[in-house]
């Protein structure tokens, strides 16, 4: 198999993976739900594979034109899923960052004397991941400008319940009656008997429906006597947040897109380091099996020193 054929196969894998990545992103949006476990993790894994393939590409593909065409395909094919002018600008930035990252890695390799790979790959892989996150956040913003963002998708109830269970010992210090599994009826009965010690439990039970109706009407939520106390706390929190942020509804997609970018950028830190590590191991494995080779590139090293004395003629 010729070197050019190997390069084309690698670039083909890169393009196919990028298409799969943008397809998964289009399915994940507009409502990004943290509890969409399979789809979310599939997108993360494919993004990591894309970063690994890009790391291999910038090291192994020496044909600049082929690499630029692959970077263009990886960037601009996403427009098929997100045909929007703002998104086109974001993909243009992604394309430029890919080309810049390639040249940064190329010149870093030329200046590396021992053939190490970690430093050169640091010039391109983190840049690619950052721009992918920026384009992802742009796609999220585009998809949500005409769609109301559901607070429940930002803060899923199951995570709120887990947090309440975890914080139960601390909450008990403030409210000794708190039990994560208790119903809202139990909470009302306990509070009524605490406020009116002369009432019996049967008498306090009679006030449940009335208190629930007042509570539901006040916060505009639907509450049943059998609902858990934590579930009602969750509905209450969502209602209060929704009421407080209603005036900023138009700006909320922009705020969330920016917050999403910085959050994913922080979470991506171990991902691109893992991608760099895997790419280096793959390159060494391919070298061991003779699929890639390590060549000695002649270089001229310039260094300053004291000049020798001039000879007199």
């Amino acid at each position: 198999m010729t070197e050019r054929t190997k390069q084309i196969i690698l670039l083909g894998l890169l393009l196919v993976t990028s298409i799969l990545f943008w397809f998964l992103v289009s399915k994940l949006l507009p409502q990004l739900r943290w509890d969409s476990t399979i789809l979310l993790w599939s997108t993360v894994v494919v993004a990591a594979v894309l970063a690994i393939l890009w790391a291999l590409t910038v090291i192994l593909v020496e044909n600049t034109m082929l690499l630029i065409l692959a970077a263009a395909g990886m960037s601009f094919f996403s427009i098929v899923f997100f045909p929007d002018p703002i998104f086109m600008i974001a993909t243009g930035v992604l394309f430029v960052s890919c080309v810049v990252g390639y040249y940064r890695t190329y010149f870093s390799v030329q200046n590396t004397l021992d053939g190490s790979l970690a430093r050169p790959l640091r010039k391109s892989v983190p840049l690619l991941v950052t721009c992918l996150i920026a384009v992802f956040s742009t796609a999220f913003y585009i998809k949500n400008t005409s769609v109301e963002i559901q607070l429940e998708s930002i803060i899923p109830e199951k995570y709120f319940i887990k947090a309440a269970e975890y914080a139960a010992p601390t909450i008990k210090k403030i409210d000794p009656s708190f039990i994560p599994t208790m119903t809202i009826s139990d909470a009302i009965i306990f509070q009524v008997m605490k406020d009116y010690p002369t009432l019996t439990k049967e008498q306090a039970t009679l006030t449940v429906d009335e208190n629930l109706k007042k509570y539901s009407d006040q916060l505009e939520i639907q509450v049943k006597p059998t609902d858990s106390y934590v579930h009602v706390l969750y509905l209450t929190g969502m209602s209060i947040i929704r009421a407080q942020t209603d005036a900023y509804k138009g700006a909320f997609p922009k705020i969330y897109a920016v917050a999403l970018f910085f959050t994913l950028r922080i979470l991506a830190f171990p991902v691109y380091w893992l991608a760099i590590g895997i790419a280096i191991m793959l390159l060494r494995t391919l070298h061991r099996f003779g699929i890639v080779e390590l060549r000695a590139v002649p270089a001229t090293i310039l260094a300053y020193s004291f000049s020798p004395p001039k000879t007199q003629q």
Side-chain angles (χ1 to χ4, degrees):
M1 187 181 296
T2 64
E3 181 181 356
R4 188 178 181 84
T5 303
K6 295 176 184 178
Q7 292 181 5
I8 292 174
I9 291 174
L10 177 58
L11 294 176
L13 290 173
L14 180 71
L15 289 175
V16 170
T17 305
S18 66
I19 293 171
L20 178 59
F21 172 74
W22 293 119
F23 172 76
L24 291 174
V25 170
S26 68
K27 295 298 180 182
L28 192 63
L29 300 177
Q31 291 297 339
L32 178 61
R33 299 186 63 90
W34 303 111
D35 52 353
S36 301
T37 309
I38 297 177
L39 183 58
L40 185 61
W41 280 108
S42 298
T43 306
V44 172
V45 170
V46 172
V49 173
L50 184 62
I52 294 169
L53 290 173
W54 177 248
L56 295 175
T57 299
V58 295
I59 295 295
L60 295 175
V61 177
E62 297 179 353
N63 189 313
T64 305
M65 185 55 65
L66 280 178
L67 190 137
I68 291 176
L69 289 174
M74 183 175 66
S75 304
F76 295 123
F77 193 86
S78 58
I79 298 175
V80 174
F81 301 102
F82 304 97
D84 184 272
I86 298 177
F87 188 81
M88 293 178 186
I89 296 173
T91 55
V93 174
L94 174 62
F95 169 69
V96 172
S97 71
C98 288
V99 176
V100 171
Y102 163 69
Y103 279 107
R104 291 178 64 190
T105 298
Y106 174 80
F107 290 120
S108 181
V109 169
Q110 298 299 313
N111 295 326
T112 301
L113 299 179
D114 58 355
S116 63
L117 295 169
R119 184 179 179 85
L121 290 177
R122 282 172 54 195
K123 304 290 185 180
S124 58
V125 175
L127 183 60
L128 170 74
V129 173
T130 300
C131 288
L132 280 177
I133 293 172
V135 176
F136 178 87
S137 301
T138 303
F140 172 84
Y141 168 72
I142 292 169
K143 286 291 187 178
N144 283 283
T145 51
S146 58
V147 179
E148 182 180 355
I149 297 177
Q150 299 294 327
L151 288 173
E152 290 78 6
S153 66
I154 302 174
I155 311 174
E157 183 176 357
K158 69 175 185 179
Y159 295 135
F160 179 85
I161 293 175
K162 288 181 180 178
E165 292 174 350
Y166 181 78
T170 304
I171 299 175
K172 273 183 169 294
K173 296 178 181 179
I174 303 172
D175 182 7
S177 66
F178 177 76
I179 301 175
T181 56
M182 70 189 302
T183 64
I184 185 62
S185 298
D186 296 332
I188 291 175
I189 292 171
F190 181 87
Q191 188 61 42
V192 169
M193 294 181 66
K194 181 179 178 181
D195 295 338
Y196 304 97
T198 58
L199 293 180
T200 62
K201 185 175 181 179
E202 288 74 16
Q203 291 173 321
T205 304
L206 298 175
T207 67
V208 170
D209 291 337
E210 182 182 355
N211 280 290
L212 280 180
K213 187 177 185 307
K214 290 180 180 179
Y215 196 75
S216 300
D217 294 342
Q218 182 180 358
L219 294 174
E220 298 181 352
I221 58 177
Q222 297 295 324
V223 181
K224 296 180 293 185
T226 55
D227 287 341
S228 70
Y229 184 45
V230 176
H231 172 69
V232 176
L233 285 178
Y234 176 78
L235 294 179
T236 302
M238 293 297 101
S239 177
I240 293 173
I241 293 174
R242 192 174 286 109
Q244 294 296 324
T245 59
D246 191 60
Y248 308 98
K249 187 180 295 185
F252 198 66
K254 297 184 183 69
I255 296 172
Y256 188 32
V258 173
L260 180 65
F261 169 78
F262 286 107
T263 301
L264 293 179
R265 184 62 184 84
I266 294 172
L267 296 176
F269 180 77
V271 175
Y272 68 68
W273 272 111
L274 180 64
I276 290 174
I278 293 176
I280 292 173
M281 287 191 294
L282 283 174
L283 283 168
R284 289 175 178 171
T285 302
L286 293 173
H287 176 255
R288 180 174 299 178
F289 285 97
I291 299 175
V292 301
E293 63 179 3
L294 188 62
R295 294 182 301 182
V297 179
T300 302
I301 301 175
L302 301 177
Y304 284 95
S305 65
F306 288 109
S307 57
K310 297 181 179 179
T311 58
Q312 295 181 354
Q313 295 182 355

